[in-house]
Amino acid sequence: MNEVTAVLQSMIPCRTEVAWGGITGVAGTMVTFLFGAWNDALTALAMFMLIDYITGVMAAYMKPRAKLSSKRGLRGIVKKLALITFVVFAHYLDLAIGQNIFCLLVTYALLGNEGLSITENLSHCGVPIPASVKNKLEQLAHEKEGGSRGA
């Protein structure tokens, strides 16, 4: 009988388990509400954003004239939140029209953008990048600085 009581008592969650269960339940509900069903494209976007942030910090460290800046890092995080807001906007646009088009479109476009940024960051870290890709990255950097538009 003592064994049965011990097993039953071990099934009762402690305060920490209840707190973490509540936090993950609320977070999961919010994510589902904002993005709908979580899919592989959203997982890839989350990973690309994390990798982009990490490689951005690495690139800032590797550049001789650049300094690591918490202000610039915070701007990067705010930019990522703005991009996530764009995905949420696209999800609700999909709900309004009854299709699953815009959320995927925005997600894939942002995946491409994050992929370019990761490649650029890795290039700044000294990772060998093919010449054709490097030329395109230099062209994009020139356009960002206010150079010529178009190819």
Side-chain angles (χ1 to χ4, degrees):
M1 186 64 168
N2 288 337
E3 292 172 11
V4 172
T5 305
V7 168
L8 291 175
Q9 284 179 340
S10 70
M11 291 180 169
I12 299 172
C14 65
R15 285 186 182 189
T16 304
E17 290 172 332
V18 170
W20 278 109
I23 289 169
T24 56
V26 168
T29 302
M30 287 175 47
V31 166
T32 303
F33 176 74
L34 292 174
F35 298 104
W38 192 264
N39 58 37
D40 291 338
L42 291 173
T43 300
L45 182 60
M47 290 307 300
F48 273 39
M49 287 181 163
L50 178 65
I51 292 167
D52 181 42
Y53 189 80
I54 291 169
T55 58
V57 171
M58 292 166 43
Y61 178 76
M62 296 293 286
K63 288 182 187 176
R65 296 179 307 275
K67 295 180 192 174
L68 288 175
S69 166
S70 59
K71 188 174 183 180
R72 189 166 181 195
L74 181 61
R75 264 190 276 162
I77 291 171
V78 170
K79 180 181 174 187
K80 301 291 183 210
L81 290 174
L83 294 175
I84 291 169
T85 303
F86 193 31
V87 175
V88 172
F89 166 77
H91 167 67
Y92 278 95
L93 188 57
D94 281 348
L95 288 178
I97 64 170
Q99 297 290 323
N100 190 20
I101 295 172
F102 292 108
C103 189
L104 283 176
L105 179 70
V106 168
T107 302
Y108 289 137
L110 293 177
L111 278 170
N113 188 47
E114 294 295 315
L116 280 174
S117 182
I118 291 167
T119 305
E120 187 176 13
N121 291 339
L122 291 174
S123 174
H124 290 300
C125 289
V127 173
I129 305 293
S132 60
V133 174
K134 206 168 200 172
N135 291 339
K136 286 294 181 186
L137 288 174
E138 288 172 4
Q139 180 183 352
L140 286 170
H142 181 67
E143 288 178 10
K144 281 183 186 178
E145 293 169 0
S148 65
R149 294 261 177 212

